[in-house]
Amino acid sequence: MAESKTIYLTQEGLDRLKDELIFLRTKERPRISSAIADARAQGDLSENAEYDAAKEAQGHLEARIAKVEDTIANARLIDERNIDTSKARILSTVRVKNHTAGMEQAFTLVSAEEADFAQGKISVGSPIGRGLLGTEIGDTVEVKVPAGMMKFEVLDISR
């Protein structure tokens, strides 16, 4: 059996996962069950594309439900009020000068489950997130990303 991994989440992230789990169990599961029943009613299942698609959707749904349940079971809440801003840590907002692109950017370091690049939330497991973890104001780091090397100077760390 695989060892479970602690997943650090904010209350907002945990609430979002719980809402998703309720939706998957109460709305999606019955919808897919109904689609399977409708496809089964069409007769011969050996050549029934709708049945195959519905069964595949059911497999994906059950896998997602299991993943969300596992994430919730292994979640540990982070109290945002107690974040030390002397170093970049999970839930820190790090303002950097991106020397490669010649601009300033701000990233909030979060768990993979809460990452949303459009909102500036990057996973601590991503190349940039890993590169910024543990840095202090004034540090310069080079991070290898799929597009090549990027150079960041840490300008500010806040919560």
Side-chain angles (χ1 to χ4, degrees):
M1 179 181 271
E3 186 177 314
S4 8
K5 182 180 171 186
T6 301
I7 299 164
Y8 296 97
L9 295 173
T10 60
Q11 185 64 54
E12 175 188 348
L14 182 60
D15 291 345
R16 191 171 48 248
L17 283 173
K18 287 179 178 179
D19 290 345
E20 179 184 359
L21 185 58
I22 290 168
F23 173 77
L24 294 174
R25 286 178 173 166
T26 62
K27 302 287 188 219
E28 284 300 296
R29 194 179 261 164
R31 183 187 65 77
I32 290 175
S33 292
S34 177
I36 291 171
D38 291 347
R40 186 177 287 138
Q42 294 177 13
D44 185 10
L45 299 180
S46 64
E47 295 181 18
N48 188 327
E50 288 84 9
Y51 179 78
D52 292 340
K55 287 300 278 184
E56 185 174 338
Q58 181 183 40
H60 289 297
L61 173 69
E62 294 303 326
R64 179 63 188 158
I65 288 172
K67 180 170 177 19
V68 172
E69 288 173 338
D70 186 58
T71 300
I72 291 170
N74 293 301
R76 298 295 172 261
L77 285 180
I78 302 170
D79 185 352
E80 297 178 60
R81 297 169 296 183
N82 297 329
I83 294 177
D84 175 9
T85 58
S86 65
K87 289 188 179 190
R89 295 182 170 84
I90 193 162
L91 290 188
S92 295
T93 297
V94 183
R95 191 169 52 86
V96 297
K97 167 114 180 163
N98 180 336
H99 289 281
T100 308
M103 59 190 272
E104 284 189 18
Q105 295 174 286
F107 301 110
T108 301
L109 303 176
V110 297
S111 66
E113 289 72 22
E114 294 188 79
D116 183 348
F117 193 75
Q119 293 183 358
K121 295 179 178 182
I122 62 170
S123 167
V124 292
S126 70
I128 294 173
R130 281 193 313 270
L132 293 176
L133 269 179
T135 59
E136 297 178 353
I137 295 172
D139 286 353
T140 300
V141 294
E142 289 192 16
V143 178
K144 184 177 181 181
V145 296
M149 292 298 286
M150 296 184 81
K151 185 176 178 182
F152 297 101
E153 178 184 351
V154 179
L155 302 175
D156 188 44
I157 300 170
S158 60
R159 134 180 115 79

